[in-house]
Amino acid sequence: DAYHQRFKLDSKPTSHIRAMANPDDDALHETCLMCSTVCSRGRGQAPRSARVIRVEQWSPADGLSLEPNALAAAKEIDSNLALTAGPGAGKTEMLAQRADFLLRTGTCRYPKRILAISFKVDASQNLKTRVRKRCGPELAARFDSHTFHAFAKRIIDRFRSVLTGRTRLHPDYSVGPRRIQRRSITYNDMVPLAVQIVESSPDRAQRDPPDLQPRIP
């Protein structure tokens, strides 16, 4: 795939996160790391300092040992990554170590925050908890973990005034079982409305490269 570098994690749960480059098993679960990721597993060790360190000084949090390909994935700063792995292979841990690297070395891109989006609430909360354990509270404060719908709701609440016409919402709008114009939206309305807000941003054309701009048929 021309857009992502791909890494395959061993399907066996292990404290040594294993990775192999260029997987071709389409049955494996895929997690996109386009926006980066996480950090600390409390084993009675002293918390790591939140001060910024050089890239070459970083090592996996809590003394975990990563094999060469996994370490390369955690420390990648020039390309986007796609991580493929079966259940229990250590995807959350890899995300945590990658986030620790990005935040601790200062290589996390402006605005120096990480946004993680999950499908399920428990996955979102688990990732947030793991980041706090790996990074400590100071760095973890710069890590945001939400589900797709929770993040969409945050966008709508903050930029609701962008919506006009039939999609316009009152300040006290609610989320309910059916759509009521301006008064209520459904669970399934949230993501499309958030996308509409983002795509209507007046400076999007200046921010996004041509291949990421919306195509009009």
Side-chain angles (χ1 to χ4, degrees):
D1 162 319
Y3 190 70
H4 295 92
Q5 289 190 30
R6 293 179 179 272
F7 293 89
K8 179 179 176 182
L9 296 187
D10 202 345
S11 60
K12 296 179 181 179
T14 173
S15 59
H16 294 266
I17 307 302
R18 300 175 180 271
M20 295 174 287
N22 301 320
D24 54 10
D25 186 348
D26 293 333
L28 293 177
H29 173 68
E30 180 170 298
T31 302
C32 182
L33 309 186
M34 290 178 60
C35 0
S36 327
T37 353
V38 232
C39 334
S40 177
R41 179 150 105 199
R43 291 182 178 173
Q45 299 180 8
R48 283 153 64 104
S49 169
R51 67 180 178 84
V52 176
I53 62 175
R54 295 194 300 271
V55 169
E56 59 271 19
Q57 292 178 310
W58 182 84
S59 61
D62 281 343
L64 294 180
S65 175
L66 303 184
E67 290 190 352
N69 283 330
L71 186 62
K75 298 173 68 174
E76 176 61 45
I77 57 177
D78 295 322
S79 303
N80 296 313
L81 302 178
L83 181 69
T84 59
K91 296 183 294 295
T92 300
E93 182 60 43
M94 173 60 80
L95 292 175
Q97 295 290 348
R98 180 157 171 73
D100 184 63
F101 169 78
L102 292 167
L103 294 171
R104 200 170 300 284
T105 62
T107 51
C108 183
R109 297 181 181 180
Y110 179 84
K112 302 297 183 181
R113 298 186 67 89
I114 294 173
L115 172 63
I117 301 293
S118 304
F119 283 102
K120 297 182 178 180
V121 173
D122 57 347
S124 174
Q125 293 175 343
N126 183 34
L127 185 55
K128 187 173 184 177
T129 299
R130 185 75 63 92
V131 174
R132 186 177 179 87
K133 289 180 178 179
R134 290 285 175 263
C135 301
E138 185 174 344
L139 289 180
R142 291 159 49 198
F143 180 86
D144 300 300
S145 181
H146 304 286
T147 63
F148 280 96
H149 290 89
F151 185 59
K153 180 69 163 53
R154 290 170 65 91
I155 292 176
I156 295 170
D157 289 345
R158 184 168 181 179
F159 302 103
R160 176 186 48 78
S161 60
V162 172
L163 299 173
T164 58
R166 293 175 60 88
T167 59
R168 182 180 176 185
L169 294 173
H170 284 289
D172 59 348
Y173 81 94
S174 62
V175 178
R178 61 193 182 92
R179 182 77 177 265
I180 302 175
Q181 189 170 359
R182 299 189 182 184
R183 292 291 184 184
S184 181
I185 60 175
T186 68
Y187 185 80
N188 292 331
D189 290 325
M190 289 193 284
V191 172
L193 286 175
V195 170
Q196 179 181 333
I197 290 172
V198 172
E199 291 184 341
S200 66
S201 175
D203 63 340
R204 175 171 180 172
Q206 298 177 13
R207 293 196 319 268
D208 289 351
D211 60 329
L212 293 183
Q213 291 178 21
R215 292 177 173 81
I216 301 176

